[in-house]
Amino acid sequence: HFSLEPAPPRRVTPRASCRPRPLPRGAGGREQAVMAGASYSAFVAAARGGVPSPATPLVRSIGARAGVFRASSSATPSPASSAPAPAAAAALATSVALVGAALVARLAARRRRSGLAARGRVSTARQAGGFGPQTVFNQKRSEEKQDEISQRVSYLIGENKNGILQQLQQYGYCQIDGFLGGSIHGYPNKMRNQMNNLFNRGWFEQESEAEAIFKIGPYQIENQDRDHRFNSKMLGGAPGDGSEERVEIQFEVAPMVVNFTRSLIPALAKAVRKLTGGISDTVATAEMMVMCGNGARVDRRVSNVFGWNTERGFVPDPRKLVVMYFMNPNWNAGLGGHLQLEGVITPTGQTSIEPLNDRLVCFWADKTVWSMRPSQASLISEHQYTIFATLMAEDHNDVEYDPKVFQHWFPELRDQPMEWNYPKVERPM
């Protein structure tokens, strides 16, 4: 395997270094993101035939997750034009109504919140945009003072933009070590502790069977890799949608995790825009993941399926860039859990990346097959903690999806015909 930082005795160093520089005092931060999760989760729900409920996370994952060499999976052919979801039209209509109602309820919600004198932290938290307890309809405010971790994230991405672009262009992925300064400031350990607090409060759950299913061209694949692996979605709420309390609790328990994520999205979107034609800094998905040893893994999967057929027509899949951040101070090679990328630009077309503490990894969602090897952790302190987010292309025509590229990396598909007609996607005016 070829890696940006391979294990001895062979060492290959890329020409483009993304080693972050120390953050100088007084460095200004970039603008934070306002995640328009309501509209995105609506069309995802429509694609799956479900109607978002008040308990449904507004910023929900649609399969952007790390993946390992397959232990058990099945591939079954499905029609090129799958059966439309029966509740799709109702879902979209309902989502539009919810968004309109949220706008009308905005003023009323602000008045209600103003009366919560004993909960002054809510009003403070709602000043920032993005994940966490704030309305998704707030305008981004450049004059807002960012927290320390948000400033550092924005500064480092901006300072290392050229290195990130060169690595993505040369290798198809980017790896940045010591992203937040490691143990100097203690950010990775603090974020891990906050995620562990959420885990102990029951916020993490096993991946659903539906989320373990994805497709490549006309073929559907179902992974059998959900044991001992738990996920928790990053939440964002709109006024009156019923999720405000959970959003606030998540922010109160894990504020650094939320601030890290919502500052990372717009910074990366701006940095990679030159290579992609346009990455949205207002729509994204994010999750937290814990692999609790006992062979916990993520089998091979892809993060872009091109789209879904619904009653209202074809719904494109805009996922473009996957970002993973590791917080594992006690990790060693014997614990496993390596991130495997296939379809990247290396001599073998693949690479193995160690989930080292404070390591950030980016790769293309529409070109890469990814997985995570089994974790052999036996102690709680060895459990593998990861934050990952998926950035979206503003124009679906910028998504470079080719199922034949993915087919090569799935043994069960190599001898299967890959005749697949691309649904037509109109370029927006």
Side-chain angles (χ1 to χ4, degrees):
H1 290 231
F2 176 87
S3 174
L4 291 181
E5 291 194 4
R10 182 184 178 188
R11 178 170 291 276
V12 180
T13 304
R15 293 192 298 272
S17 173
C18 278
R19 190 73 60 181
R21 303 175 185 175
L23 179 66
R25 291 186 179 180
R30 300 293 194 275
E31 212 171 20
Q32 297 185 30
V34 179
M35 301 300 166
S39 59
Y40 186 66
S41 63
F43 87 70
V44 172
R48 289 180 170 174
V51 179
S53 64
T56 302
L58 287 182
V59 183
R60 60 183 298 173
S61 168
I62 48 177
R65 229 168 303 267
V68 211
F69 285 123
R70 170 173 313 285
S72 174
S73 65
S74 61
T76 56
S78 61
S81 179
S82 55
L92 287 175
T94 302
S95 65
V96 171
L98 288 173
V99 171
L103 284 169
V104 174
R106 181 179 179 181
L107 181 58
R110 284 181 174 177
R111 290 173 177 170
R112 288 197 301 271
R113 290 198 299 272
S114 65
L116 301 178
R119 300 178 63 185
R121 63 184 184 278
V122 175
S123 298
T124 302
R126 287 181 182 277
Q127 296 305 309
F131 296 108
Q134 74 289 312
T135 167
V136 297
F137 303 100
N138 277 349
Q139 297 294 323
K140 290 178 286 186
R141 301 175 182 178
S142 58
E143 69 273 15
E144 277 186 2
K145 180 180 178 181
Q146 290 181 312
D147 61 282
E148 187 176 352
I149 194 170
S150 297
Q151 289 186 30
R152 184 172 182 85
V153 169
S154 299
Y155 173 79
L156 291 173
I157 294 294
E159 285 295 296
N160 293 280
K161 178 177 69 174
N162 291 336
I164 294 172
L165 293 176
Q166 290 174 15
Q167 287 198 15
L168 284 171
Q169 193 167 26
Q170 293 176 12
Y171 306 111
Y173 72 102
C174 173
Q175 174 180 308
I176 308 177
D177 292 335
F179 183 63
L180 295 179
S183 60
I184 296 177
H185 303 284
Y187 293 137
N189 290 354
K190 292 176 183 177
M191 292 166 63
R192 177 188 173 95
N193 290 338
Q194 291 180 4
M195 286 178 60
N196 186 58
N197 290 338
L198 286 173
F199 186 88
N200 291 335
R201 293 188 179 204
W203 277 69
F204 285 72
E205 59 185 11
Q206 190 179 62
E207 183 181 49
S208 68
E209 292 184 5
E211 290 179 314
I213 299 174
F214 60 97
K215 64 179 182 178
I216 297 177
Y219 298 96
Q220 179 174 284
I221 296 178
E222 180 176 358
N223 283 343
Q224 305 294 327
D225 59 352
R226 300 183 298 127
D227 293 341
H228 309 294
R229 177 169 58 83
F230 304 91
N231 301 73
S232 180
K233 295 174 175 60
M234 302 287 287
L235 306 178
D241 68 357
S243 66
E244 291 180 289
E245 183 177 357
R246 284 182 56 82
V247 173
E248 291 165 5
I249 293 174
Q250 186 183 66
F251 183 80
E252 291 166 5
V253 177
M256 291 186 69
V257 176
V258 174
N259 288 333
F260 170 84
T261 306
R262 68 185 182 189
S263 60
L264 182 66
I265 302 301
L268 269 176
K270 183 177 180 180
V272 303
R273 193 176 296 270
K274 183 184 296 185
L275 293 180
T276 63
I279 291 284
S280 174
D281 62 355
T282 59
V283 180
T285 63
E287 286 192 45
M288 300 169 281
M289 179 176 69
V290 180
M291 294 172 63
C292 299
N294 298 297
R297 68 188 193 279
V298 186
D299 289 342
R300 279 189 182 101
R301 62 180 62 194
V302 297
S303 293
N304 190 295
V305 298
F306 195 75
W308 304 268
N309 290 306
T310 72
E311 289 182 345
R312 294 181 63 90
F314 179 73
V315 179
D317 186 345
R319 291 176 290 176
K320 183 64 181 180
L321 185 71
V322 178
V323 188
M324 302 186 69
Y325 178 71
F326 300 108
M327 297 153 287
N328 306 307
N330 298 315
W331 186 87
N332 61 72
L335 295 177
H338 296 66
L339 172 64
Q340 298 287 138
L341 302 180
E342 297 168 310
V344 292
I345 308 171
T346 66
T348 61
Q350 55 188 348
T351 189
S352 178
I353 300 176
E354 298 174 336
L356 295 178
N357 194 43
D358 201 21
R359 171 172 282 178
L360 185 79
V361 179
C362 310
F363 57 91
W364 300 119
D366 54 346
K367 301 178 182 179
T368 313
V369 175
W370 51 306
S371 56
M372 275 189 167
R373 294 179 184 172
S375 170
Q376 306 301 335
S378 57
L379 303 175
I380 294 178
S381 60
E382 296 173 343
H383 290 173
Q384 186 166 313
Y385 281 71
T386 308
I387 295 174
F388 59 88
T390 309
L391 281 65
M392 312 293 171
E394 293 179 331
D395 184 349
H396 190 259
N397 290 281
D398 293 325
V399 173
E400 302 176 42
Y401 180 84
D402 185 354
K404 293 182 179 179
V405 173
F406 294 145
Q407 180 183 21
H408 172 74
W409 301 105
F410 289 84
E412 62 270 43
L413 295 181
R414 287 175 185 167
D415 297 328
Q416 301 295 327
M418 190 59 73
E419 299 298 329
W420 184 67
N421 295 322
Y422 289 80
K424 185 178 181 181
V425 181
E426 298 293 340
R427 184 177 291 273
M429 300 299 291

